[in-house]
Amino acid sequence: QVLQVGIGDTAGDPYVYAESSHGTGTAATPYRIERLSRDGVVALKMNAGVFEPALSTPTATVDGQSVAVKIGLSQLTTDTMGKMMCDPGKHRTIYLYPGTKDRMWDPKAMQLTVTLHGADIHDISQGTGHPDGRHRLSGDVVITAQFTDKPGDYMGITSDRVSDLADCPAH
């Protein structure tokens, strides 16, 4: 289940589980994000670890026009030797970010709408090697986000700090 939706600000993003003032995640009442930076990510915190190889590219539009979006679980960080690496944490946060070379949303855009395909969001099994689990989301998850010019107090994660599995630096 989706617990929290927002910009990757764990202290400020709203919890949406069992609470609907920020939407329900359906097409009729999508989860709403009020302030997404042009270089920001949409972050969904889940109640269980997510099996990343099963994630599929979400459907996304900006102001009604199809756009490329990437999906991943990792924040980029450096190891003790100073090399860039991916850190998926507990595999519980899904990051959606621009699929463009500059990792920026359209500078003229007003609204992003993303649909995550619920059947492609699997949990991680507790079995040996943590393979694909048997649980799936019961339906698609729809999110809308209103773009904002990045204010000085923006606490979200930026797109240059996340990665999908395919783009993680080799280690």
Side-chain angles (χ1 to χ4, degrees):
Q1 294 176 319
V2 180
L3 299 178
Q4 194 175 23
V5 175
I7 57 175
D9 175 8
T10 55
D13 288 347
Y15 280 87
V16 296
Y17 177 68
E19 201 279 317
S20 62
S21 66
H22 293 279
T24 61
T26 64
T29 57
Y31 291 130
R32 291 181 310 281
I33 299 171
E34 303 300 326
R35 299 177 352 136
L36 178 63
S37 172
R38 305 272 175 203
D39 63 347
V41 303
V42 172
L44 292 90
K45 186 175 187 178
M46 309 301 287
N47 72 330
V50 175
F51 186 68
E52 190 164 14
L55 293 175
S56 67
T57 303
T59 305
T61 61
V62 169
D63 296 341
Q65 301 295 315
S66 292
V67 295
V69 173
K70 290 199 166 202
I71 183 170
L73 301 178
S74 293
Q75 286 195 39
L76 294 170
T77 187
T78 53
D79 66 10
T80 56
M81 301 298 290
K83 290 185 179 180
M84 190 65 74
M85 62 177 269
C86 285
D87 180 6
K90 295 181 180 179
H91 299 268
R92 290 187 178 205
T93 304
I94 298 171
Y95 299 105
L96 306 168
Y97 58 100
T100 57
K101 189 172 183 169
D102 67 358
R103 292 180 167 229
M104 297 286 288
W105 301 108
D106 182 335
K108 297 178 192 134
M110 299 300 291
Q111 179 175 291
L112 169 70
T113 302
V114 180
T115 301
L116 287 169
H117 310 290
D120 296 332
I121 300 175
H122 308 195
D123 68 340
I124 297 175
S125 168
Q126 297 304 306
T128 304
H130 302 290
D132 189 2
R134 68 175 188 259
H135 301 102
R136 313 284 186 266
L137 290 184
S138 60
D140 291 348
V141 177
V142 182
I143 304 131
T144 60
Q146 301 301 316
F147 288 109
T148 183
D149 291 326
K150 191 156 122 184
D153 64 345
Y154 190 77
M155 299 299 291
I157 296 172
T158 54
S159 60
D160 62 337
R161 302 301 311 157
V162 298
S163 184
D164 65 358
L165 194 58
D167 289 338
C168 279
H171 217 44

